[in-house]
Amino acid sequence: LQNFLCYTCKEYVEDLAKVPKAFLEEANVRLIVIGQSSYHHIKPFCSLTGYTHEMYVDPQREIYKTLGMKRGEGNNVSVRSPHVKSNTFLGSIRSVWRAMTGPAFDFQGDPAQQGGALILGPGNEVHFLHLDKNRLDHVPINTVLQLAGVKTVNFTNKPQIIDV
């Protein structure tokens, strides 16, 4: 995650929460989200997003540094995450509101830190690594699921037509 107040991270994790545990168990895969704030923010963030899979924190951002994750926004802001539903204005307002109603001066992570996605294991072998260039540069969740051998998920609320 970029940080726990980021509206794009919140909406991305809301979609991660829709991945059924049975899909992960069937593929022998674990879904883990790592944030870069205090562990005190895990429970409220999970309640807010409905996320029930594993979540950890790295307050010193050691994992971020080791993986070479960037700080700051890249030049290409035309990239748009399929999992972010809010526009920049409303999403930013919601993030500011959550910051104002939370503990004073607790940014819940470095706001300039970018996140990413990786597929790791078994062991320490990295099979896939995507470093976000900006807050909207998320890899589509179904891409990561497919690469990890997990069934994909319908993230839209629209009914699917299945041709038989």
Side-chain angles (χ1 to χ4, degrees):
L1 290 181
Q2 184 183 13
N3 64 69
F4 286 121
L5 284 177
C6 169
Y7 75 93
T8 61
C9 297
K10 174 194 164 285
E11 293 181 12
Y12 191 78
V13 172
E14 284 173 336
D15 276 358
L16 283 174
K18 296 174 185 174
V19 177
K21 288 186 188 243
F23 286 15
L24 299 169
E25 290 168 359
E26 185 178 303
N28 196 26
V29 169
R30 292 167 53 196
L31 176 59
I32 300 172
V33 167
I34 300 174
Q36 41 117 6
S37 183
S38 165
Y39 70 91
H40 293 98
H41 298 294
I42 293 175
K43 191 172 183 178
F45 189 74
C46 288
S47 293
L48 180 69
T49 60
Y51 183 81
T52 59
H53 305 288
E54 294 178 72
M55 184 175 290
Y56 301 98
V57 291
D58 177 17
Q60 277 68 48
R61 299 188 340 264
E62 294 301 323
I63 294 170
Y64 294 77
K65 294 171 193 168
T66 300
L67 293 172
M69 292 181 172
K70 304 184 181 354
R71 287 192 72 249
E73 293 279 331
N75 293 335
N76 184 6
V77 289
S78 63
V79 177
R80 181 76 183 168
S81 171
H83 302 284
V84 176
K85 290 91 180 159
S86 298
N87 66 41
T88 304
F89 179 73
L90 286 177
S92 298
I93 295 289
R94 288 184 189 114
S95 291
V96 168
W97 178 253
R98 286 182 32 230
M100 289 172 50
T101 57
F105 304 108
D106 186 351
F107 295 105
Q108 300 185 26
D110 179 350
Q113 179 65 61
Q114 298 303 317
L118 72 137
I119 299 173
L120 178 70
N124 292 329
E125 187 176 348
V126 177
H127 298 278
F128 174 80
L129 175 62
H130 172 83
L131 304 176
D132 295 346
K133 294 176 190 72
N134 59 60
R135 71 186 90 146
L136 294 173
D137 187 30
H138 301 133
V139 174
I141 294 168
N142 277 333
T143 299
V144 179
L145 292 175
Q146 284 179 323
L147 290 170
V150 178
K151 289 180 189 172
T152 59
V153 176
N154 177 12
F155 292 106
T156 67
N157 292 328
K158 300 172 192 164
Q160 287 185 310
I161 299 172
I162 301 171
D163 187 22
V164 285

